[in-house]
Amino acid sequence: MILITNNIKSTFYLLLLGILHNDKALIKKCYMILRRYYLWSIDEPEDVEEYEIMKALKISQQFHDVMIDGEMVIINDGHSILQVEQRSLYQALRELRNELNKTYLIPNQQYDLCRIVRKKTFDPMEDEEVYPHHFTLRRDHDGRELAYAFRESIYGTILIFSKRVEKNLSTFNEYYLGKIQPNYWGTEFVIYDNGLEASNLSKLPSFLFTERKQIGRIIYETNVMGQQPRFFSCEIQDFLDNKLKTMKNVRPDY
């Protein structure tokens, strides 16, 4: 079923209906529509086609038309009243987010040898390779693509997606997993999940979003005497014990 609506209130109604009937496909579709709507309310994307869709959605009712009364979420579509327990709403959306991210955030108790393949854009006018750059994470033994990333410029943020995407290469894409934020010098890279900054989270319905978490950091020591760094360290989130683990190369012994 393709769900198209120009009324956010109707989308909330369908979301609660999906939770009552445990319709995971309907829950996912409604969640994605609501997520796009509220994200775009604080930062409109440049993609024209997606923006045209949002123009229709922004005409609709706002979030305050959905009433939270004690432990219940209540919505009136003008014909009938639908109510769902808050905990059922939170649990259904938490399960959906876990399902969307399970390939990347749930340990599988084994090693997967992978490689990152970078494809640069070629400018025939200048006869040279330029930005944007495209990256794929591939598993060694079968070549399966596990993730796709995109970088617009040399100082730009690297956006990570669960699959190769051609349009709407932004945080508004439903396949968006997170991003790698470099510092100005390109010596430190911080890896975040697909949550929101606290300043934006406070403006939006709390049950639709989670706060952004840092899940890794890569640091190169500046080498003023040469072009290549001599020291490298990495911090990565261990999801088994919920701690950051540190790895670093051994310095040369002269």
Side-chain angles (χ1 to χ4, degrees):
M1 179 185 72
I2 298 176
L3 176 65
I4 301 176
T5 176
N6 65 351
N7 192 308
I8 291 300
K9 190 174 180 182
S10 298
T11 307
F12 268 110
Y13 188 89
L14 289 170
L15 174 64
L16 300 187
L17 200 63
I19 293 171
L20 286 174
H21 293 279
N22 195 29
D23 187 334
K24 297 186 182 300
L26 181 59
I27 294 172
K28 179 181 178 181
K29 180 62 71 173
C30 292
Y31 170 77
M32 290 304 178
I33 288 177
L34 293 171
R35 177 181 171 86
R36 284 199 299 270
Y37 174 80
Y38 285 108
L39 282 177
W40 292 355
S41 70
I42 59 174
D43 185 16
E44 290 179 354
E46 296 179 357
D47 188 289
V48 176
E49 181 178 347
E50 296 283 3
Y51 176 65
E52 290 300 317
I53 296 173
M54 275 311 304
K55 283 172 62 177
L57 293 179
K58 284 192 172 182
I59 299 173
S60 66
Q61 303 290 338
Q62 299 296 312
F63 176 62
H64 56 71
D65 289 313
V66 180
M67 182 172 65
I68 299 179
D69 181 19
E71 297 182 352
M72 305 297 294
V73 178
I74 304 170
I75 186 168
N76 186 342
D77 71 343
H79 304 285
S80 59
I81 297 175
L82 188 65
Q83 56 184 10
V84 171
E85 289 184 335
Q86 277 196 63
R87 62 180 181 180
S88 298
L89 175 62
Y90 278 84
Q91 180 179 346
L93 295 181
R94 185 167 56 249
E95 289 176 354
L96 173 60
R97 284 191 290 266
N98 289 341
E99 179 66 25
L100 293 173
N101 298 325
K102 69 178 183 179
T103 302
Y104 309 95
L105 299 181
I106 297 179
N108 59 8
Q109 300 293 351
Q110 68 181 33
Y111 289 105
D112 270 333
L113 296 178
C114 301
R115 68 180 64 192
I116 295 176
V117 179
R118 176 172 65 173
K119 181 180 179 182
K120 302 177 181 179
T121 301
F122 182 76
D123 185 350
M125 299 295 293
E126 299 293 336
D127 193 28
E128 62 180 4
E129 294 176 328
V130 295
Y131 282 86
H133 289 183
H134 304 264
F135 305 83
T136 53
L137 177 66
R138 297 179 183 174
R139 202 160 54 185
D140 269 1
H141 68 272
D142 60 3
R144 177 188 170 191
E145 292 190 2
L146 301 177
Y148 167 78
F150 173 82
R151 192 177 195 182
E152 182 70 34
S153 67
I154 188 171
Y155 299 112
T157 298
I158 302 171
L159 301 180
I160 308 171
F161 305 90
S162 60
K163 60 181 290 186
R164 185 181 295 272
V165 292
E166 303 296 337
K167 298 170 57 178
N168 189 20
L169 292 164
S170 70
T171 58
F172 307 104
N173 194 293
E174 66 179 280
Y175 300 109
Y176 171 67
L177 286 176
K179 65 181 181 180
I180 303 175
Q181 184 72 53
N183 66 357
Y184 177 78
W185 300 105
T187 57
E188 181 175 345
F189 299 81
V190 180
I191 307 170
Y192 297 101
D193 65 9
N194 58 1
L196 299 182
E197 295 181 29
S199 58
N200 288 330
L201 194 64
S202 62
K203 307 173 188 176
L204 302 170
S206 59
F207 58 82
L208 284 175
F209 304 96
T210 57
E211 187 171 355
R212 188 178 74 175
K213 296 183 179 64
Q214 178 180 323
I215 58 175
R217 188 169 64 140
I218 302 168
I219 302 171
Y220 295 94
E221 185 180 88
T222 303
N223 180 12
V224 296
M225 302 298 292
Q227 294 184 343
Q228 304 299 328
R230 300 296 300 275
F231 183 72
F232 160 87
S233 66
C234 173
E235 296 175 350
I236 193 70
Q237 182 76 32
D238 187 331
F239 294 99
L240 286 175
D241 56 14
N242 199 30
K243 294 181 180 179
L244 281 175
K245 297 296 179 66
T246 301
M247 297 177 286
K248 59 181 68 175
N249 69 294
V250 178
R251 291 183 180 272
D253 184 11
Y254 299 109

